[in-house]
Amino acid sequence: MKNILITLIASALLSANAFAADPLPSWGDTAPKQNMIAFVEKGTKEGSADFIPPAERIATFDNDGTLWSEQPMYFQAFFIFDRIKALAPEHPEWKDKEPFASVLKGDVNAALAGGEKALIEMAMATHAGMTSEEFENIVSDWIATAKHPKTGKLFTEMVYQPMLELLAYLRANGFKTFIVSGGGIEFMRPWAEKVYGVPPEQVIGSSIKTKYEVRDGKPVIVRLPELNFIDDKEGKPIGIHQHIGRRPVMAFGNSDGDFQMLEWTTSGSGPRFGMIVHHNDAEREYAYDRESHIGKLAKGLDEGPKLGWSIVSMKDDWKTIFPE
Amino acid sequence: MKNILITLIASALLSANAFAADPLPSWGDTAPKQNMIAFVEKGTKEGSADFIPPAERIATFDNDGTLWSEQPMYFQAFFIFDRIKALAPEHPEWKDKEPFASVLKGDVNAALAGGEKALIEMAMATHAGMTSEEFENIVSDWIATAKHPKTGKLFTEMVYQPMLELLAYLRANGFKTFIVSGGGIEFMRPWAEKVYGVPPEQVIGSSIKTKYEVRDGKPVIVRLPELNFIDDKEGKPIGIHQHIGRRPVMAFGNSDGDFQMLEWTTSGSGPRFGMIVHHNDAEREYAYDRESHIGKLAKGLDEGPKLGWSIVSMKDDWKTIFPE
């Protein structure tokens, strides 16, 4: 009994010590991790030349491809397609109308052939026309059960374990962590707090317009089929400015859609940190960059290192990809 | 010496005790204060039927007339007029162009005769055309020195002491405090953290559009003379939905421009709290409500009590108005 107790205490001490020594166990001991830890340690040490006052510890994260996977298409596109199928009985006209007809036939490539215009048309048809609470319930129900076609995992199981550790590590050091995504703001908010520990008020994304009205004495916010804001490329610093109102000191992305967010973040005065996740692990996840239709990364690879950004090789710098 | 020490210790204990007993010393011991304290105590007591999980402790505050004064006109209008005077040398055409000509002649009433349209025209002429950082500096310089014509105080000295205590009390109980104002979001952010303890990311307001561009290798956010969002009346629940993404549990206002914010807040399920500050103290501040052009309050007085909102009489419920 005594030996068991000693073993238990010893292993508890060891694991506490291991945690204290390594808050990022899924990261290999390579440059990206070393850079981050050095940045955070200097930034939180009072009296350090690189000290960052707590109020200014703002870190922004892209979502698709940075916090969770984005292949073979943005996960929100799976949601859109599932909604089109669910709503088809109310829309007999969709049988003969593209891109809806292709979705209903199961022809994803044809449905996406219309590019961004087609995607926005499908988003409007499926994301508007209900109240904010109804939409939240629709998203919550979908995300709880829908699965990725290749891995068979829930989409929320395809978040990156190293990034979950990083979010927690930054928060433990007084950073406010924000999501700044091209994805729909109200598509992410219902689950971002549970999955990432990021509350709705720290989620920034693309949005449609809404209106406030009182229906039978009950106030509601109604979602309208009209674009409000596209939080991508030049839109990311604009979204940050609108929602946060100050420049982040750290920014994390994976595609050229994140270039301006990192550029805006790292060009401020004082200590700054930028990081690009490079998807080069076809075995454990996906490998894509310059030629990809989703998450294209070219400018970030060419310019990022010159601007002092860390480039993460998923293959070499991450010990684990998804949570166990 | 011993007696002095005992007196010092005793008075320290007494004041510590007084603080513990009364976190809101500038509020009279009347219904509004009693209602608030009861709400917060039940809301933060684990196991209470009215317990509010920490993540849902969101409290929203109007600014003009709720956190600081708004007479004889919105303080931002003083800023606009001062900016017009400062910019006049660059705009010789303003001498003959209304409403600018009236401002330059010092005729406030004539300048405001054009109503909201004239005010927006003047805001566009003075709030756009520079970078976000330049505008922040302009506001910071102005707010540090500009004084109210009647009281001779700095505008930031005309915040309400009871509301400063309330903001601190709510934050001490785990509430996130947000400003939700019809005023300009970038007009408030430069000083809201210092004056109210509310960081920029928790300030919501009206805004103009901006664009991101790289000037001589330096990224900037440029302010454009185009309205983006009016955060007033029905706009307040919309602004809350955009920025916070969940319904507040407490809301504080003073005019009918806040009606929808309080309606949206207090019609949610579970414990809810709404409060209207009624300006009825001509001696210590101002007295106005149903007939006022600024901060008109009629619907709130008629409907608020039926909806369970507390109405604060500044005259009877506040011991102090402004900080000493």
Side-chain angles (χ1 to χ4, degrees):
Chain A
M1 184 62 190
K2 199 177 163 191
N3 280 348
I4 292 173
L5 267 179
I6 288 169
T7 308
L8 279 175
I9 291 166
S11 69
L13 286 172
L14 273 173
S15 55
N17 190 48
F19 184 77
D22 190 355
L24 302 172
S26 298
W27 291 73
D29 191 28
T30 47
K33 175 176 175 173
Q34 291 163 0
N35 295 346
M36 279 192 299
I37 290 184
F39 182 88
V40 169
E41 288 185 349
K42 282 188 282 184
T44 53
K45 190 177 168 189
E46 294 232 29
S48 148
D50 291 326
F51 180 72
I52 305 164
E56 286 169 32
R57 292 182 200 160
I58 302 284
T60 55
F61 292 81
D62 169 57
N63 184 40
D64 298 307
T66 300
L67 296 179
W68 74 354
S69 294
E70 60 181 353
Q71 296 287 359
M73 60 184 184
Y74 295 129
F75 292 175
Q76 193 171 356
F78 288 107
F79 171 72
I80 290 173
F81 288 0
D82 284 351
R83 290 308 300 156
I84 289 174
K85 290 171 202 159
L87 292 166
E90 298 165 34
H91 292 275
E93 76 280 10
W94 284 354
K95 271 194 200 116
D96 306 307
K97 192 185 169 193
E98 290 298 348
F100 304 95
S102 291
V103 173
L104 296 176
K105 278 180 229 148
D107 188 344
V108 170
N109 288 338
L112 293 175
E116 193 181 349
K117 189 169 163 285
L119 203 61
I120 287 174
E121 190 182 353
M122 291 188 280
M124 291 301 146
T126 53
H127 286 49
M130 70 292 282
T131 69
S132 59
E133 288 177 5
E134 286 163 354
F135 186 71
E136 185 181 337
N137 290 335
I138 290 167
V139 172
S140 297
D141 289 348
W142 182 83
I143 202 88
T145 55
K147 292 190 170 160
H148 189 271
K150 182 180 159 191
T151 64
K153 291 174 188 276
L154 292 173
F155 291 108
T156 52
E157 292 170 338
M158 292 182 69
V159 298
Y160 303 132
Q161 177 63 25
M163 298 306 276
L164 296 181
E165 293 168 7
L166 176 56
L167 287 164
Y169 171 62
L170 291 177
R171 288 193 292 260
N173 281 283
F175 285 80
K176 270 193 180 176
T177 53
F178 284 78
I179 292 171
V180 180
S181 169
I185 189 168
E186 301 306 339
F187 174 72
M188 296 180 283
R189 281 173 162 167
W191 50 269
E193 188 156 29
K194 200 168 114 189
V195 174
Y196 299 133
V198 177
E201 61 269 24
Q202 287 166 219
V203 176
I204 304 169
S206 298
S207 58
I208 57 177
K209 290 196 186 296
T210 58
K211 70 171 173 181
Y212 180 79
E213 63 180 46
V214 180
R215 284 182 178 173
D216 304 327
K218 190 176 173 263
V220 290
I221 287 172
V222 181
R223 297 173 58 78
L224 305 176
E226 190 185 342
L227 272 180
N228 180 58
F229 183 66
I230 299 284
D231 190 48
D232 196 28
K233 300 188 177 76
E234 293 82 2
K236 291 205 174 195
I238 299 299
I240 287 169
H241 181 63
Q242 277 178 9
H243 285 255
I244 308 180
R246 61 180 140 205
R247 208 189 287 225
V249 291
M250 303 184 89
F252 301 83
N254 76 296
S255 82
D256 286 347
D258 304 314
F259 190 89
Q260 288 83 356
M261 172 169 77
L262 269 78
E263 181 181 58
W264 174 240
T265 299
T266 61
S267 61
S269 60
R272 302 282 157 173
F273 190 89
M275 179 178 276
I276 295 275
V277 175
H278 186 199
H279 292 261
N280 59 357
D281 192 335
E283 200 173 312
R284 295 187 301 170
E285 203 236 10
Y286 292 94
Y288 58 96
D289 46 38
R290 295 175 187 275
E291 306 301 326
S292 179
H293 290 294
I294 301 274
K296 179 181 170 179
L297 176 65
K299 202 175 171 190
L301 285 178
D302 296 334
E303 305 289 325
K306 295 180 214 162
L307 296 165
W309 305 348
S310 295
I311 310 291
V312 174
S313 159
M314 285 178 74
K315 194 172 187 323
D316 302 317
D317 297 323
W318 284 3
K319 294 187 199 167
T320 311
I321 305 285
F322 301 122
E324 291 297 305
Chain B
M1 184 62 189
K2 199 179 165 191
N3 279 349
I4 292 173
L5 266 178
I6 288 170
T7 309
L8 279 174
I9 292 166
S11 70
L13 286 172
L14 273 173
S15 57
N17 190 47
F19 184 77
D22 190 357
L24 302 172
S26 299
W27 291 73
D29 191 27
T30 47
K33 174 176 176 173
Q34 291 163 0
N35 295 346
M36 279 191 300
I37 289 183
F39 182 88
V40 169
E41 289 186 348
K42 282 188 283 184
T44 53
K45 190 178 169 190
E46 294 232 30
S48 149
D50 291 327
F51 180 72
I52 304 164
E56 287 169 31
R57 292 183 200 159
I58 303 283
T60 55
F61 292 80
D62 169 56
N63 184 39
D64 297 307
T66 300
L67 295 180
W68 72 355
S69 294
E70 60 181 354
Q71 295 289 0
M73 60 183 184
Y74 295 129
F75 292 176
Q76 193 171 356
F78 289 107
F79 172 72
I80 290 172
F81 288 1
D82 284 351
R83 290 308 301 157
I84 289 174
K85 289 171 202 160
L87 292 167
E90 297 165 36
H91 292 275
E93 76 280 10
W94 283 354
K95 270 192 200 117
D96 306 306
K97 191 185 170 196
E98 291 298 347
F100 303 94
S102 292
V103 173
L104 296 176
K105 277 180 230 149
D107 188 343
V108 170
N109 288 338
L112 293 175
E116 195 181 346
K117 190 169 162 286
L119 203 60
I120 288 175
E121 190 182 351
M122 291 187 281
M124 291 302 146
T126 53
H127 286 50
M130 70 293 281
T131 70
S132 59
E133 287 177 7
E134 287 164 352
F135 186 70
E136 185 181 336
N137 289 335
I138 291 168
V139 172
S140 298
D141 289 346
W142 182 83
I143 202 89
T145 54
K147 292 192 172 163
H148 189 273
K150 183 180 156 190
T151 64
K153 291 174 187 274
L154 292 174
F155 291 107
T156 52
E157 292 171 337
M158 292 183 69
V159 299
Y160 302 133
Q161 176 63 24
M163 298 306 277
L164 296 181
E165 294 168 8
L166 176 56
L167 286 163
Y169 171 62
L170 291 177
R171 288 194 291 260
N173 281 282
F175 285 80
K176 269 192 181 177
T177 52
F178 285 79
I179 292 171
V180 180
S181 169
I185 188 168
E186 302 306 340
F187 173 72
M188 297 180 283
R189 280 173 162 168
W191 49 270
E193 188 157 28
K194 198 167 114 190
V195 174
Y196 299 132
V198 177
E201 61 269 26
Q202 287 165 218
V203 176
I204 304 169
S206 298
S207 58
I208 57 178
K209 289 196 187 297
T210 58
K211 71 172 172 181
Y212 180 80
E213 63 181 46
V214 180
R215 286 183 178 172
D216 303 326
K218 190 176 173 262
V220 289
I221 287 172
V222 181
R223 298 173 57 79
L224 305 176
E226 190 185 341
L227 272 180
N228 180 57
F229 183 66
I230 300 285
D231 191 48
D232 196 30
K233 299 189 178 76
E234 293 83 3
K236 291 206 174 193
I238 298 300
I240 288 170
H241 182 63
Q242 277 179 9
H243 284 256
I244 309 180
R246 60 180 141 204
R247 209 190 287 225
V249 292
M250 303 184 89
F252 301 82
N254 77 295
S255 81
D256 287 347
D258 304 314
F259 191 89
Q260 289 84 356
M261 172 168 78
L262 269 77
E263 180 182 59
W264 174 241
T265 299
T266 61
S267 61
S269 60
R272 301 283 158 173
F273 190 89
M275 179 177 275
I276 295 274
V277 175
H278 185 197
H279 292 262
N280 60 357
D281 192 335
E283 200 174 311
R284 294 187 301 169
E285 202 235 12
Y286 293 94
Y288 58 98
D289 47 36
R290 295 175 187 275
E291 305 301 328
S292 179
H293 289 295
I294 301 275
K296 180 182 169 177
L297 176 66
K299 202 175 171 191
L301 285 178
D302 296 335
E303 305 289 326
K306 295 180 213 163
L307 295 165
W309 304 349
S310 294
I311 310 291
V312 174
S313 159
M314 286 178 74
K315 193 174 187 331
D316 302 316
D317 297 324
W318 284 4
K319 293 187 201 168
T320 310
I321 305 285
F322 301 122
E324 291 298 307

